[in-house]
Amino acid sequence: MDMSGETYLNNQFIIAMPALTDPIFFHTVTYLCQHNEEGALGIVINRLANMKLGEIFKQMNISATSEAAANMPVFTGGPVQQQRGFVLHTNGGSWDMTMAVSDSISLTTSRDVIEAIAVGEGPEQYLVALGYAGWSEGQLEKEMLNNTWLNTPFGKQVLFDTSINMRWTAAAGQIGIDINQLTAPAGHG
């Protein structure tokens, strides 16, 4: 099979199709940070963890002076490494462990970005998640072929400015799809 024409979905959203009933991914929007021949890594951007960022500061012994940051929600980024923090953010600043996803968004996993956010000196816009969603080699491609996911272009307003409970419909709406109108395909007989 010729893979030279392979298209990777870095810096795109994948939206759980209505038929995906797995409770971990039901009605989720995942921002793909890395997708290549080895697999994919994404952060779910519309599933809240039951905590605010202030609790993370306390767990990490970081003193916070930014009340706004302490009150930010924390997301469940996916089922893998849920004890580890991932910060999706607009570019700017220099952090120890950062991967540029696009010319405007990066993913940082180092403590320094959390320390900066705690004192109001972090990235302009950010989302903090615990854990990530991961796919092994060829797994996401297979799931895409099975109509498990709908991919749409990245939209900064969906990631940072859309209310959390509206992100699923907003991400699909970027390409003119009313995700609520999509149903599972009829039985394949």
Side-chain angles (χ1 to χ4, degrees), residues 163-180:
S163 67
I164 295 153
N165 62 341
M166 294 300 295
R167 289 179 182 174
W168 187 62
T169 50
Q174 293 184 121
I175 58 169
I177 291 178
D178 181 347
I179 193 95
N180 294 298

Side-chain angles (χ1 to χ4, degrees), residues 13-15 28-30 45 150-153 155 157-158 162 166-177 179:
F13 291 130
I14 57 170
I15 303 160
T28 55
V29 177
T30 302
I45 64 160
L150 172 70
N151 66 295
T152 68
Q157 73 286 353
V158 174
T162 301
M166 294 300 295
R167 289 179 182 174
W168 187 62
T169 50
Q174 293 184 121
I175 58 169
I177 291 178
I179 193 95

Side-chain angles (χ1 to χ4, degrees), residues 43 49 51 53 55-57 59-60 74-87 108-111 114 128-133:
I43 304 293
M51 65 172 62
L53 197 46
E55 292 174 58
I56 302 272
F57 297 151
Q59 288 174 15
M60 295 177 71
V74 174
F75 291 78
T76 300
V80 185
Q81 293 189 2
Q82 290 193 316
Q83 73 291 351
R84 189 164 172 212
F86 295 84
V87 183
T108 297
T109 56
S110 47
R111 178 184 176 96
I114 297 289
V128 177
L130 294 175
Y132 68 90

Side-chain angles (χ1 to χ4, degrees), residues 83-117:
Q83 73 291 351
R84 189 164 172 212
F86 295 84
V87 183
L88 272 179
H89 59 86
T90 49
N91 289 344
S94 177
W95 319 109
D96 290 342
M97 299 285 294
T98 297
M99 175 181 79
V101 179
S102 73
D103 58 4
S104 62
I105 302 294
S106 291
L107 178 67
T108 297
T109 56
S110 47
R111 178 184 176 96
D112 56 350
V113 73
I114 297 289
E115 290 172 336
I117 288 169

